[in-house]
Amino acid sequence: MLFLKEFKKIVTSIPYLIFVAAIAIGLFSQGVFSFNKDPMQKPKPGENYGFKNEEFPEIIMPAALKDLLTEFGENNYTTYPIGLVKHVKLDENEKYEIAEIISEITGVDKTVILNESSDNSDNSVYKVTKDSMSENNEGGFIIDSNDKSEENSEKTKYSVRGNMSYSRFKELMKIADDILGGGSKYAVDSLIGYGAVPLTYEEALSQYDLAVKSDRVTGGYARLFADYAGIMAMSLMPVFPAIILCMKDRRARMDALIYTKKISAVKLTLARYLALVTSAMIPIIIMSYISNITVWNAHSEIILDYLAPLKYDFGWLLPSAMISAAIGMFLTELTGTPIAVVVQGLWWMLDINLGIKTIDSGYSLFRLAPRHNVGANSWFHTQDYLNNFQNLILNRALIAGVSIFLIALTILIYEAKRKGKFGGNISFKKAFSSIRNRSNKYKA
């Protein structure tokens, strides 16, 4: 059977053993095989139950102001414009614009704000700490700027002025985010991160009960494994065996023989694709159960869902493996080069970095790897998962659909090559050769 031949060719190769080892090492480094060290426990009255983020203006505005004052005083802003961290320093005009924003929020004259934050001043600097924050009469916080001068012990007090509306505050924060180039914690969709409030016992108990009834405990751990496996392995790694398989025949000069065989392009392509996806999924399925089994004894009093790992393997991780393998086959057959590594690698990197802010609940339609990583102590945020379940289905269906479409195109390329109507890969090879030659010439 053609599928078995292709499958055996893949799993008995050294690159495949490296592939499996890389996945195992990557997942081991993330602690997915030691979930039993942090079992889910029923909350008890009087404990610390963690926090939740709520859009409470009276909490968000002073907390965001505190950070803005701190970064303004240091002229060092931390942003994530494309997910990667970037430290932004503003010029004088941009500092003036931020000072205007702070002035409108606090009511303090912008000239005072600029003078106290001057990089050239040895007498005054912002030093915002918990000790420098005090509650004002309106229930907000006053943030003090410590004056270094011994002669002047007065402090300028900063707080959100009483008549500042939350809608205007968000507009000002958006302006600040735009000045910083985007991706800052002052972006409107990030402000809720400042609204951290403690969970009550009743809320914690409700989360626990939902995790037991809906996730059956094992579902939560399986989802956590799927998050790590998706981002660490399945969204990228399958592209490598796909490229190696397609390039191997060309190196052995078997492509001409394959193109002249009587077996149809459909059967050959599908057999290879299924072999690639199957070989990629088998170690993941095994590892998902190794991961999940570690918590079974710790929750023996609960009716567990022993099929949970399998559900997440096929529903969550399979589409990622499909798209990675499909891109590998399509681009390798199209160009005759391993350019798929670059394409898939860039998509994977962008997907990781752009999704940093949504690591706890990232289910957008075009995500390569959905994210839901809030740790075991959060009791998996089951409700967030349920709220986004439809988005997850749409995302996984889209990724799987694109994969099938790319394989269909790969079949057409195979068929065209057999008929001698497609030689596009020659031009790609010439282009790459030209780039390499030019690079070597410059080095010389």
Side-chain angles (χ1 to χ4, degrees):
M1 185 179 179
L2 185 58
F3 165 77
L4 292 177
K5 289 182 179 179
E6 296 295 331
F7 179 75
K8 183 179 179 181
K9 185 191 302 183
I10 295 169
V11 299
T12 57
S13 65
I14 293 178
Y16 180 73
L17 297 179
I18 297 174
F19 166 82
V20 175
I23 292 176
I25 293 171
L27 292 179
F28 179 81
S29 69
Q30 300 303 310
V32 300
F33 302 121
S34 56
F35 285 154
N36 60 320
K37 293 181 180 179
D38 197 14
M40 188 179 75
Q41 297 179 348
K42 189 173 183 177
K44 298 176 182 179
E47 294 179 334
N48 180 5
Y49 313 110
F51 294 85
K52 63 178 180 178
N53 290 326
E54 296 284 353
E55 195 166 16
F56 292 130
E58 65 272 18
I59 296 176
I60 292 174
M61 289 195 291
L65 174 61
K66 172 188 172 183
D67 274 1
L68 185 59
L69 281 167
T70 303
E71 294 191 321
F72 178 79
E74 297 171 351
N75 193 24
N76 185 7
Y77 302 82
T78 301
T79 66
Y80 296 86
I82 58 170
L84 298 173
V85 64
K86 178 182 179 182
H87 296 285
V88 177
K89 288 188 177 295
L90 302 181
D91 60 29
E92 292 303 316
N93 290 332
E94 292 168 329
K95 286 179 66 177
Y96 187 87
E97 293 178 48
I98 296 293
E100 287 185 320
I101 291 173
I102 295 174
S103 176
E104 184 173 344
I105 293 173
T106 63
V108 177
D109 187 86
K110 55 181 173 289
T111 304
V112 174
I113 297 170
L114 286 167
N115 288 339
E116 290 194 342
S117 67
S118 174
D119 290 336
N120 298 320
S121 172
D122 293 328
N123 296 324
S124 186
V125 66
Y126 286 112
K127 189 72 174 177
V128 182
T129 64
K130 289 183 179 179
D131 294 335
S132 68
M133 294 184 65
S134 58
E135 193 170 350
N136 62 17
N137 295 331
E138 289 77 28
F141 288 97
I142 299 174
I143 303 172
D144 299 332
S145 174
N146 295 336
D147 195 329
K148 289 182 177 179
S149 173
E150 295 181 358
E151 298 177 359
N152 183 8
S153 60
E154 293 184 0
K155 296 179 179 180
T156 305
K157 297 184 178 180
Y158 297 85
S159 64
V160 179
R161 57 185 176 83
N163 60 346
M164 168 59 63
S165 68
Y166 186 52
S167 59
R168 178 55 182 166
F169 181 84
K170 289 195 291 185
E171 290 175 0
L172 292 171
M173 290 296 99
K174 182 182 184 305
I175 295 172
D177 181 64
D178 290 340
I179 294 171
L180 297 174
S184 75
K185 49 195 169 187
Y186 312 115
V188 174
D189 60 351
S190 298
L191 286 176
I192 194 171
Y194 286 108
V197 294
L199 280 173
T200 65
Y201 168 71
E202 291 74 17
E203 290 170 331
L205 186 62
S206 176
Q207 283 192 3
Y208 174 85
D209 290 339
L210 187 61
V212 170
K213 294 176 183 177
S214 180
D215 280 328
R216 297 286 182 86
V217 179
T218 50
Y221 286 105
R223 185 164 58 248
L224 193 56
F225 174 88
D227 173 88
Y228 283 120
I231 208 69
M232 294 287 297
M234 290 297 97
S235 297
L236 176 65
M237 299 297 289
V239 75
F240 293 101
I243 293 171
I244 292 171
L245 180 63
C246 294
M247 296 290 291
K248 189 174 182 180
D249 289 333
R250 188 165 284 104
R251 288 197 302 269
R253 297 185 179 180
M254 290 290 291
D255 49 340
L257 179 60
I258 291 173
Y259 294 147
T260 57
K261 281 184 176 179
K262 291 183 179 180
I263 186 171
S264 69
V266 174
K267 287 184 178 180
L268 178 61
T269 306
L270 290 181
R272 287 191 159 184
Y273 182 60
L274 291 174
L276 283 166
V277 174
T278 302
S279 62
M281 289 300 298
I282 286 178
I284 281 295
I285 292 173
I286 295 173
M287 291 179 201
S288 70
Y289 266 95
I290 293 174
S291 169
N292 213 260
I293 285 173
T294 62
V295 302
W296 290 1
N297 288 335
H299 303 92
S300 57
E301 75 284 359
I302 300 172
I303 301 176
L304 305 178
D305 181 4
Y306 298 107
L307 294 179
L310 209 58
K311 294 175 183 177
Y312 282 89
D313 289 337
F314 285 101
W316 189 300
L317 296 174
L318 178 59
S320 294
M322 289 174 63
I323 191 66
S324 186
I327 288 176
M329 287 189 68
F330 170 69
L331 290 178
T332 304
E333 196 58 39
L334 176 68
T335 68
T337 70
I339 193 175
V341 172
V342 178
V343 174
Q344 188 67 15
L346 285 174
W347 187 11
W348 174 76
M349 185 177 295
L350 286 172
D351 192 69
I352 290 178
N353 291 311
L354 291 175
I356 284 179
K357 288 187 176 181
T358 58
I359 188 174
D360 57 342
S361 185
Y363 295 99
S364 61
L365 186 60
F366 298 104
R367 287 301 300 268
L368 175 61
R371 300 306 311 270
H372 192 100
N373 192 335
V374 286
N377 281 336
S378 64
W379 301 304
F380 315 117
H381 280 210
T382 307
Q383 190 60 57
D384 289 343
Y385 167 72
L386 296 175
N387 291 343
N388 287 284
F389 184 72
Q390 186 175 0
N391 294 336
L392 175 65
I393 295 298
L394 291 174
N395 168 272
R396 299 290 80 187
L398 176 63
I399 294 298
V402 173
S403 305
I404 295 171
F405 176 72
L406 290 176
I407 292 302
L409 292 180
T410 305
I411 292 171
L412 294 177
I413 294 172
Y414 267 123
E415 196 61 40
K417 285 184 175 181
R418 281 183 166 180
K419 295 178 180 178
K421 296 180 179 180
F422 186 85
N425 58 341
I426 296 176
S427 59
F428 282 102
K429 285 181 178 180
K430 286 183 178 179
F432 278 97
S433 297
S434 175
I435 293 173
R436 285 197 300 267
N437 292 337
R438 192 178 298 116
S439 176
N440 292 335
K441 179 180 178 181
Y442 290 147
K443 289 179 180 179

